[in-house]
Every structure is written in structure tokens, then in C-alpha cells.
């Protein structure tokens, strides 16, 4: 809590108050450049903010305006597989909440498991499986921030899923829906693991997001999640998986993804 406040105080002059927080995943960070009157604050200038070393993650907190809303957008995130603790992984989300954000839009690149999904699809996350083996809510908590036992029965706001679907329809494409499974990584899954995930009810799989959603729900934020299906999951895909493919697909759907986020902000 103290660390978050120290970070918040150090950027308050540059950031101002925000209403909406965003985390932009692998290859999706360029969306922040659409924000108006934007200020980019490098993570390295924010006390306690973990810096991601993954390519495709720029490492700036961009604060700007869209549709009369003040938005803070993280260009890239820290991951458990980089050796970050669960608390470090969600530091940025807690920071954006301390700036006033009441809504969080999380985005990621994910492998498609469901036969309904194809690379290049965008999927509204309707629920999640936290399979990281840990939680961002372990350890002492500050009762002023939120409850010890957090209700996760509607973690992804159904009204935001509907709103995003309407925006997609108006843009001329169908927003898929599904359950996102978040794993530790950093290896991609084996085909056997993907079959297991399918039997558990996962539609898409990735290595992020789930801890951020736990932190956001703990803080009482409304959450929307958008996955960019960057590849078919292992065993479903014909060949090997690669980060280059993930970034390539994210680049291909960029204009659609950005239009969806803009429309979602306008609808809020
Ligand atoms: N598995 C896990 N994480 C991912 C994948 C995947 O297939 N694609 C993008 N991130």
C-alpha cells in the first residue's frame, strides 16, 4: 500500500486523475498512441514499478484522454515467469486504481483452444481460470482497500461484455466470447496440457491477466477483458508456436483491436 502511494505521489503531477485503466498486452501497446493529450511515463521513472523485459512490451504508463474520459494505459506488463512476485505483477493495476480508475480493461495475446476461435479473432473474456498456482491477494491486506475473501462470481462485468459486442457489431465483426486460462509459463503448453485445459472449460490460454483481475476485483473495479487470439494452441496448431507469430498476429488485427477499445471507451 505504501509503495503504491509513493508511486502515485511521484507521478500525480504528470498523470492527474483517471477514470479508466488499461493493460495493453503483447504487441498491443500501440493503442496508447491514440489517446489525446497523452503523457508517457517510463516505468523506470515510477518508484517500485516492475519493468518488463519481454519484447513487444514498451514499458510506459501513458495517460491521456479519449471520449472525454481520462485513461491510464500500461504499455506492457510484468509477468510471473520473469521472476516477478504476484504483488509486483499487479503493481501497475493498483497504481492506476490509486489514480482514481474505477474500470479496468485488460488485454492480452492468447492461444485459441476452442474450435470456434481462429488466429486474428478478438474474444471478450467472460470468465477466467487462475492456473498460475498463486494469487495476487495472498499475504496481509489493507482492509481499507478491499475484502479478504473477494467475490469472483461475476469478475468480468457482463454489461461491458455486451457493450464490447455491440461496438464490434457496429464495426462489422463478431466479438467472440470465452473463458481465459492464465498459466505461469514461460513455455507454451504441451498438446496434453491443451487437452486438459479444454476439458477444464478453457477457450483460450495465456500467461497473464488473471492476477490483475483478482487485484482489480479486490479493489472494487469493474473489469473488461479482451484477448487477441494470436495463434492456435499447441497440438491444435499444425506447427510450432513462437513469440514472433504472436506479435505478427497482434500487428495484423491492430486496427480492429484499437477501434474496439476506442468504441468501448465511447460507450462507457
Ligand atoms: N499459450 C500461452 N500463452 C500464449 C499463447 C499460447 O498459445 N499465445 C499467446 N500467448
Amino acid at each position: 500500500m505504501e509503495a503504491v502511494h509513493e508511486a502515485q505521489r511521484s507521478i500525480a503531477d504528470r498523470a492527474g486523475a483517471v477514470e479508466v485503466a488499461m493493460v495493453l498486452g503483447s504487441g498491443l501497446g500501440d493503442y496508447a498512441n491514440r489517446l489525446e493529450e497523452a503523457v508517457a511515463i517510463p516505468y523506470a521513472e515510477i518508484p517500485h514499478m516492475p519493468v518488463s523485459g519481454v519484447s513487444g512490451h514498451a514499458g510506459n504508463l501513458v495517460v491521456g484522454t479519449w471520449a472525454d474520459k481520462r485513461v491510464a494505459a500500461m504499455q506492457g506488463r510484468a509477468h510471473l515467469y520473469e521472476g516477478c512476485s504476484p504483488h509486483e505483477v499487479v503493481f501497475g493495476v493498483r497504481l492506476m486504481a490509486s489514480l482514481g480508475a474505477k474500470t479496468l480493461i485488460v488485454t492480452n495475446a492468447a492461444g485459441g483452444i476452442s474450435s470456434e476461435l481462429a488466429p486474428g479473432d478478438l474474444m471478450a473474456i467472460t470468465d477466467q481460470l487462475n492456473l498460475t498456482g498463486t494469487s495476487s491477494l495472498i499475504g496481509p491486506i489493507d482492509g481499507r482497500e478491499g475484502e479478504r475473501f473477494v467475490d469472483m462470481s461475476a469478475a468480468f462485468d457482463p454489461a461491458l461484455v455486451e457493450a464490447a459486442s455491440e461496438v464490434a457489431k457496429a464495426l462489422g465483426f463478431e466479438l467472440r466470447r470465452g473463458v481465459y486460462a492464465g498459466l505461469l509459463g514461460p513455455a507454451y503448453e504441451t498438446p496434453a496440457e491443451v487437452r486438459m485445459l479444454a476439458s477444464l472449460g478453457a477457450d483460450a490460454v495465456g500467461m497473464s491477466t488473471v492476477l490483475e483481475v483478482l487485484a482489480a476485483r479486490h479493489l472494487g473495479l469493474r473489469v473488461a477483458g479482451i484477448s487477441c487470439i494470436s495463434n492456435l494452441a499447441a497440438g491444435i496448431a499444425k506447427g510450432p508456436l513462437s513469440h514472433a507469430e504472436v506479435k505478427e498476429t497482434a500487428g495484423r488485427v491492430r486496427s480492429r483491436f484499437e477501434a474496439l477499445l476506442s468504441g468501448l471507451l465511447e460507450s462507457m
Side-chain angles (χ1 to χ4, degrees):
M1 176 99 162
E2 237 348 278
V4 171
H5 283 159
E6 190 187 333
Q8 186 244 326
R9 279 194 300 272
S10 83
I11 62 166
D13 288 353
R14 280 187 282 174
V18 307
E19 296 162 70
V20 180
M22 278 187 190
V23 184
L24 300 170
S26 284
L28 303 171
D30 281 349
Y31 176 73
N33 301 333
R34 283 207 180 191
L35 298 175
E36 290 155 354
E37 300 144 27
V39 184
I41 308 171
Y43 292 167
E45 292 177 15
I46 306 174
H48 310 290
M49 183 82 173
V51 178
S52 170
V54 182
S55 84
H57 290 255
N60 296 310
L61 181 68
V62 180
V63 184
T65 303
W66 191 263
D68 291 329
K69 288 177 194 75
R70 295 287 297 158
V71 179
M74 287 172 57
Q75 286 182 312
R77 51 158 64 91
H79 303 85
L80 285 174
Y81 63 73
E82 296 179 82
C84 298
S85 72
H87 297 100
E88 287 171 325
V89 165
V90 302
F91 189 83
V93 167
R94 294 178 64 219
L95 174 60
M96 293 188 288
S98 79
L99 293 171
K102 298 282 180 279
T103 304
L104 172 68
I105 304 175
V106 274
T107 70
N108 55 53
I113 296 174
S114 158
S115 59
E116 307 280 294
L117 294 172
D121 279 349
L122 297 177
M123 182 189 92
I125 305 174
T126 54
D127 208 344
Q128 72 178 27
L129 291 165
N130 173 15
L131 300 175
T132 62
T134 189
S135 169
S136 44
L137 304 178
I138 52 177
I141 54 156
D142 185 319
R144 286 169 295 181
E145 282 191 316
E147 308 261 356
R148 171 80 285 182
F149 302 106
V150 177
D151 175 45
M152 292 293 284
S153 48
F156 294 86
D157 191 309
L160 290 176
V161 173
E162 282 305 322
S165 297
E166 289 300 314
V167 171
K169 200 192 275 178
L171 289 168
F173 71 93
E174 194 188 337
L175 184 64
R176 309 284 170 191
R177 295 184 183 196
V179 173
Y180 175 91
L183 276 65
L184 177 61
Y188 292 115
E189 301 69 38
T190 63
E193 286 165 344
V194 170
R195 289 193 296 275
M196 173 191 75
L197 293 169
S199 76
L200 293 177
D203 297 299
V205 57
M207 304 173 195
S208 67
T209 303
V210 292
L211 300 187
E212 295 157 2
V213 174
L214 283 165
R217 293 304 296 150
H218 176 242
L219 297 167
L221 273 61
R222 293 208 303 164
V223 177
I226 304 290
S227 289
C228 163
I229 304 302
S230 54
N231 57 281
L232 296 177
I236 302 171
K238 295 278 176 283
L241 273 49
S242 74
H243 190 53
E245 179 191 6
V246 170
K247 287 191 292 183
E248 190 273 318
T249 309
R252 190 153 54 78
V253 299
R254 182 162 123 186
S255 63
R256 183 176 270 200
F257 171 79
E258 294 187 358
L260 178 65
L261 287 188
S262 293
L264 187 56
L265 285 173
E266 287 153 22
S267 78
M268 281 166 52

